[in-house]
Amino acid sequence: MTSLSRRRLLAAAVLLPVAPAFAQSRPLTCGALTEAQTEGPFFKTSTPLRASLVEAGSKAPRLVVTGRVLSGRCTPIANALLDFWHADEDGEYDNRGFRYRGHQFTDAEGRYRLATIVPAEYPGRTRHIHVKAQAPGKRILTTQLYFPGDPGNPRDGLWQRDLEMRVAKGAAGEGTFDFVVEA
Ligand SMILES: [Fe+2]
């Protein structure tokens, strides 16, 4: 999508009525689908069904990401697939097994909750979490989530502010992000 058409979509989104239920999460962006990004070289299929990726005994800082999967009309999507994968505390991906890989489905209100660790950055990339999101039977959105204020962000050509999680002051281990997908 060109930046011009994207701006138009965002402008259109501003005109949508603001539903109070969505007001606390992100600025209302349901009019625009979440920006797609490359899946990168480390995606694997057949991940375990699990909402917690925390490894027993890991001393890495914990991270909980919550939010919803929404349609472009701001309708919560139940049973949407979310498949997450990210680097470990040393910036490495597990390409043999499934450490820090797992998929889950949204609940009846379109909500999800991912419990994991804060991934480390690795050469050339700022800190990020890969994800595929899909409404039942619809097109898969592949994208990445970023950490607001991470010093590596401006140095990473893939980083986008729109794909940053919202992290409340003093709650570094808790992020929120709503996905808007084709539905
Ligand atoms: Fe990555």
Side-chain angles (χ1 to χ4, degrees):
M1 190 184 294
T2 65
S3 65
L4 180 62
S5 60
R6 192 158 170 283
R7 272 203 299 277
R8 280 189 183 138
L9 274 175
L10 288 172
V14 170
L15 300 175
L16 289 170
V18 177
F22 302 120
Q24 312 90 355
S25 52
R26 303 188 82 220
L28 189 71
T29 54
C30 310
L33 300 185
T34 299
E35 198 82 26
Q37 291 218 306
T38 175
E39 73 178 18
F42 302 119
F43 173 65
K44 278 180 75 169
T45 58
S46 307
T47 58
L49 172 64
R50 56 182 178 185
S52 174
L53 307 182
V54 177
E55 293 283 317
S58 171
K59 302 226 173 3
R62 299 292 200 268
L63 172 69
V64 174
V65 187
T66 56
R68 274 182 283 200
V69 178
L70 306 169
S71 75
R73 295 181 166 199
C74 305
T75 308
I77 302 173
N79 269 325
L81 170 69
L82 287 164
D83 198 354
F84 294 100
W85 73 104
H86 63 75
D88 66 13
E89 52 267 65
D90 298 317
E92 304 280 348
Y93 285 87
D94 181 5
N95 296 311
R96 289 199 281 189
F98 292 96
R99 287 172 63 242
Y100 304 116
R101 298 175 186 272
H103 72 274
Q104 59 179 285
F105 295 91
T106 54
D107 69 12
E109 277 84 50
R111 295 179 192 281
Y112 72 92
R113 181 182 191 276
L114 171 71
T116 189
I117 62 158
V118 177
E121 33 182 30
Y122 54 89
R125 293 306 318 277
T126 190
R127 214 180 298 278
H128 62 280
I129 293 175
H130 294 269
V131 56
K132 288 180 183 276
Q134 182 187 31
K138 302 296 181 182
R139 199 143 58 125
I140 297 171
L141 165 78
T142 302
T143 191
Q144 304 183 31
L145 301 184
Y146 297 93
F147 292 74
D150 195 291
N153 289 345
R155 296 193 295 267
D156 186 331
L158 285 174
W159 166 73
Q160 285 188 37
R161 195 176 298 279
D162 286 355
L163 294 173
E164 286 183 347
M165 295 178 281
R166 278 168 74 89
V167 177
K169 272 208 176 104
E174 295 168 33
T176 62
F177 192 89
D178 289 342
F179 298 92
V180 183
V181 300
E182 191 181 288

